[in-house]
Amino acid sequence: MNEFERLLDNNKEWAAKQVETDPDFFKRLEGLQSPEFLWIGCSDSRVPADQITNTKPGEIFVHRNVANLVVNGDINLLSVLQYSVEVLKVKHIIVVGHYGCGGIQAAMTNQSFGVLNNWLRNIKDVYRLHQAEVDALPTVEEKNNRMTELNVHEQVMNLAKTGIIQSAWKKEQRPFLHGWVYSLRNGILKSILEMPPNTPVNPIYKFEI
Ligand code: CO
């Protein structure tokens, strides 16, 4: 059997099992989705949002890219953000990084990866902001682990810099922003930053909304 056929077979089994345990499962979700969470995670195949949080389809709106970046000019991310905040009205946005991230590791070297260089440049900028702290760590693993945390921190800050978030904070006192890091070693998510609505940001980023 081809590898891709395995996926289609698995899917048939899964769909049948859902109906068996919950006959209205698909009927309910077909009508509407009302997730409370937006997940901005890494594309890494080892960090699947639903599975590691033990949630079901319909519970989390997901955006994933290499190294879970929130880039100001990324129309894809901004579209997901606007839709989830203004239409789905999510209550929480969670940026999730993970230790052992290939994107972080690559950005911390001088290797060239073609177009990926332009994407990873955002991580090098995070490093430049925290260079003294990261350089003081003794091993490459410790440097990369700290960079994973600092990167999540910066990406949460990037969310708070958007008009989309500032406007929702002002009008509806939501969403709550979270920065978490996942460990591939033990499967545990850890919070490194919690930013409630209307947390003050550096005044230069504040819009008169
Ligand atoms: Co990664």
Side-chain angles (χ1 to χ4, degrees), residues 42 44 98 101-102:
C42 184
D44 194 301
H98 66 102
C101 182

Side-chain angles (χ1 to χ4, degrees), residues 79-179:
S79 302
V80 167
L81 182 65
Q82 185 177 28
Y83 184 72
S84 62
V85 170
E86 295 179 5
V87 180
L88 298 174
K89 300 193 177 293
V90 295
K91 295 192 178 93
H92 301 270
I93 300 180
I94 312 162
V95 176
V96 185
H98 66 102
Y99 298 120
C101 182
I104 300 278
Q105 288 165 359
M108 292 297 283
T109 72
N110 298 105
Q111 260 184 287
S112 178
F113 298 91
V115 74
L116 194 55
N117 293 345
N118 302 62
W119 188 250
L120 298 179
R121 230 284 312 286
N122 295 290
I123 302 171
K124 291 179 191 280
D125 292 342
V126 173
Y127 168 68
R128 184 168 47 78
L129 284 171
H130 303 275
Q131 193 158 0
E133 182 193 341
V134 175
D135 284 352
L137 293 165
T139 66
V140 170
E141 193 187 356
E142 282 165 284
K143 288 184 212 292
N144 288 344
N145 285 351
R146 186 61 187 138
M147 271 301 295
T148 293
E149 296 167 356
L150 292 168
N151 182 51
V152 163
H153 199 288
E154 288 298 328
Q155 304 317 318
V156 173
M157 301 286 290
N158 285 345
L159 286 174
K161 292 172 193 168
T162 65
I164 298 168
I165 293 299
Q166 290 183 19
S167 169
W169 274 4
K170 187 166 185 190
K171 291 180 199 145
E172 301 183 27
Q173 289 74 53
R174 67 167 180 86
F176 201 121
L177 308 182
H178 310 263

Side-chain angles (χ1 to χ4, degrees), residues 37-41 47 49 52-53 60 68 92-99 148-149 151-153 156 176-183 188-195:
F37 308 97
L38 166 63
W39 175 283
I40 299 172
V47 195
I52 66 175
T53 56
I60 306 185
N68 43 272
H92 301 270
I93 300 180
I94 312 162
V95 176
V96 185
H98 66 102
Y99 298 120
T148 293
E149 296 167 356
N151 182 51
V152 163
H153 199 288
V156 173
F176 201 121
L177 308 182
H178 310 263
W180 296 353
V181 174
Y182 178 75
S183 167
I188 299 295
L189 281 164
K190 143 179 119 177
S191 165
I192 58 155
L193 174 67
E194 299 293 334
M195 200 181 272

